[in-house]
Amino acid sequence: MSKQLPLAAMDACCSPLVRAPLTQEQAVELSRLFKAMADPVRLRLLSLIASHAGGEVCVCDLTDAFDLTGPTISHHLKVLRESGLITGERRGTWVYYRVRPEVLARLSAVLTPEGSEVETASSAK
């Protein structure tokens, strides 16, 4: 059974935290996503996948970026996949991964106060 976050649950939790308190269910669902991203290796994997040209990357290109074994990288990718942050498609012997932009957008919506623009480091100067 997949632990992937149902899209209906994500729709229910996209209002900013400052507008209304999260329900217990919303907090549980969001915490699964944040927990998946809380590991430095997984956060870096997510960034590598999201920033890769063409929007997808072969697992063979991800393993070289780390000083970790293949099974360890596979474990971290599995956690990201089961959380719903990425998807994977097997093509022959390789798996190609893509970020689910709608999930990242919903996470961003929860953290961004309504009516405010996200301040970047360059605009804060």
Side-chain angles (χ1 to χ4, degrees):
M1 181 176 162
S2 175
K3 297 176 187 174
Q4 187 171 338
L5 186 64
L7 289 179
M10 283 304 296
D11 287 337
C13 65
C14 347
S15 63
L17 294 172
V18 297
R19 186 164 75 182
L22 294 173
T23 65
Q24 175 67 24
E25 182 180 291
Q26 291 169 331
V28 168
E29 295 299 330
L30 283 169
S31 70
R32 288 182 187 154
L33 291 168
F34 288 119
K35 184 177 180 181
M37 293 188 309
D39 182 272
V41 171
R42 289 193 290 266
L43 189 56
R44 192 158 164 233
L45 280 167
L46 189 64
S47 175
L48 287 168
I49 295 167
S51 65
H52 200 272
E56 68 178 10
V57 62
C58 177
V59 70
C60 60
D61 295 325
L62 294 172
T63 55
D64 291 340
F66 296 89
D67 189 25
L68 298 169
T69 65
T72 301
I73 296 296
S74 292
H75 164 74
H76 287 297
L77 289 167
K78 178 183 175 185
V79 171
L80 290 171
R81 192 177 64 250
E82 286 181 346
S83 73
L85 289 163
I86 64 173
T87 61
E89 177 185 337
R90 181 167 293 282
R91 297 183 197 154
T93 59
W94 300 110
V95 178
Y96 288 78
Y97 290 97
R98 287 173 297 290
V99 167
R100 294 187 61 207
E102 71 277 9
V103 176
L104 294 181
R106 288 183 179 119
L107 284 172
S108 177
V110 168
L111 297 174
T112 304
E114 226 173 354
S116 72
E117 293 183 27
V118 177
E119 189 173 295
T120 63
S122 61
S123 67
K125 292 178 183 178

